[in-house]
Amino acid sequence: MIQSSTSKPSKSPSKGAGLPSSTTQKWTSLLNNDASRAVILQAIVLMLVLFGLWFLFANASENLNRLGMTFGFDFLQVTAGFNISWSLIPYDAGMSYWRVFLVGIVNTLILSFCVIVVGTLIGTVVGILRLSDNPLVSQLARWYVEVVRNVPLLIQIIFWFTVVFSTLPAPRQSYHLGEWLFLNNRGLYVTTMDTSLSWGWIIAIGLALIVALYALFRWSKPYYTVSGSRSSGFYIGLAVWVLLAGWAVWTFSHATSLSVPSLQGFNFSGGAFLPASFGAAFVAMTVYRSAAIAETVRAGMQSIDRGQHEAAFTIGFSRVQSLRLILIPQAIRSIIPPMTNSWLAATKDSSLAVAIGFPELVSVFMQTSMNQTGRAIEIIFMVMGFYIFISLLISYLLNKYNDSVQYKVR
């Protein structure tokens, strides 16, 4: 019997043929798991970001080497050698670029602070007036908002500088308020106080007195709530506070004298001086920002149910009382988040004042200093870092305040 040389094919497949390998199964299970997939995606994004940063750094380093330049901040100790037209802190041309950086920061913060404070006050009033029952008042407030916010801020800054402040009279024909205040095409001259005391100590003592008075009233509040009158300890503490405040005022008045501006030759001397560029930037930015804040306030007020308006009037509240005691305390919860954006924008908008020559940070540090030193990367990093720090600080403080006024849900 002859046996066939060909063997029959195996009916069962070999082990593992046609099935995914163990490695493939592991990757499939990782990708199908939400937690592991999130970790993998974050790792990929992080690698891409690091690669982008490495690419930028390597490219910048190569360009600096090609130009024969180095990266560093040693230039901050070099003498700047140029004057700045206006500064709140002492400065002269013999000081370093680090001092120039500080001057730019102080000027930027002063301008931004003034715009935020005054713009918020005007915006709040205009926002409330937009809801007035008087059609003339509400329409005037509406047109103020519509006209101001639809014109670019840069154009408004140039308008106020060239059309208003630059056309003011010369110093000899200044507008004046007695001998205390003079306004001309160079700026505003105001009377100030010169003192031999340290302003740091003056501010610290003033704040300490305010805090002490507040603590005294808080301490006596429980007794007053129960009895309806203040305790004898409160009046003793108040007498001590009055004596301390009187001593502080007496010391300050005897160490202080007035510095009145007076025209000598072609210019004023004495007092304090605010340049016309500051005035134009301040007015333009305040008007522009107040329009945005007015819309924020109006929207926040309209978020309150109208029934609360009617309930307040029903129990005899006046319009002012209903606003102060019922509507504004509730609307502030809706107003604060968008108000944060307006305050951040006001700080960053201050860089536009460079267009009219106001010596803020961009003007003195990103133009003059960068042209002289050639350290573009370092200077841009420093300016960007300043704006990021200020923006995060404002955002943090307003978010903390917002958390404190929100409803607490248990």
Side-chain angles (χ1 to χ4, degrees), residues 5-21:
S5 61
T6 58
S7 60
K8 293 181 179 179
S10 174
K11 293 182 179 179
S12 62
S14 60
K15 186 178 181 181
L19 295 177
S21 63

Side-chain angles (χ1 to χ4, degrees), residues 21-275:
S21 63
S22 59
T23 305
T24 305
Q25 290 179 342
K26 289 181 180 177
W27 277 106
T28 304
S29 63
L30 280 175
L31 292 176
N32 288 334
N33 184 276
D34 291 340
S36 58
R37 186 171 62 246
V39 172
I40 293 172
L41 291 176
Q42 290 179 47
I44 293 173
V45 171
L46 179 61
M47 290 176 62
L48 290 175
V49 171
L50 292 177
F51 175 77
L53 293 175
W54 171 83
F55 176 78
L56 292 175
F57 178 78
N59 190 39
S61 177
E62 181 181 350
N63 290 333
L64 288 175
N65 292 331
R66 181 169 52 82
L67 297 173
M69 300 172 63
T70 58
F71 181 85
F73 295 91
D74 54 324
F75 74 96
L76 292 175
Q77 305 303 322
V78 177
T79 301
F82 64 89
N83 288 315
I84 297 177
S85 60
W86 183 72
S87 173
L88 282 179
I89 61 176
Y91 173 81
D92 59 59
M95 294 186 175
S96 63
Y97 285 108
W98 174 250
R99 192 70 174 186
V100 174
F101 183 59
L102 294 181
V103 170
I105 286 178
V106 173
N107 289 355
T108 298
L109 290 179
I110 289 295
L111 177 60
S112 303
F113 177 77
C114 294
V115 170
I116 288 173
V117 173
V118 182
T120 301
L121 293 176
I122 295 176
T124 302
V125 173
V126 174
I128 294 174
L129 292 180
R130 281 210 63 185
L131 303 175
S132 172
D133 296 331
N134 187 319
L136 176 61
V137 173
S138 62
Q139 287 303 313
L140 285 176
R142 177 189 175 190
W143 279 107
Y144 171 83
V145 172
E146 295 299 334
V147 170
V148 168
R149 73 173 182 172
N150 287 309
V151 177
L153 177 57
L154 181 60
I155 295 177
Q156 294 191 40
I157 291 175
I158 296 174
F159 167 80
W160 281 100
F161 184 70
T162 58
V163 179
V164 178
F165 283 86
S166 295
T167 57
L168 291 173
R172 290 188 180 279
Q173 292 80 36
S174 300
Y175 298 128
H176 62 92
L177 182 62
E179 299 297 326
W180 305 90
L181 183 148
F182 297 87
L183 178 65
N184 54 56
N185 56 8
R186 294 182 181 175
L188 180 67
Y189 298 84
V190 295
T191 300
T192 58
M193 293 182 291
D194 288 339
T195 178
S196 58
L197 302 175
S198 168
W199 280 105
W201 280 108
I202 294 173
I203 294 173
I205 292 174
L207 291 177
L209 288 172
I210 294 174
V211 172
L213 185 62
Y214 175 76
L216 182 61
F217 275 92
R218 286 295 300 266
W219 172 75
S220 65
K221 187 177 179 180
Y223 184 87
Y224 178 79
T225 304
V226 174
S227 65
S229 61
R230 302 289 181 182
S231 64
S232 57
F234 168 80
Y235 290 107
I236 294 173
L238 185 61
V240 173
W241 186 89
V242 170
L243 288 175
L244 291 174
W247 169 81
V249 172
W250 181 85
T251 305
F252 178 75
S253 61
H254 279 72
T256 304
S257 61
L258 292 179
S259 176
V260 181
S262 61
L263 185 62
Q264 296 181 358
F266 296 100
N267 205 354
F268 283 87
S269 65
F273 169 64
L274 292 174

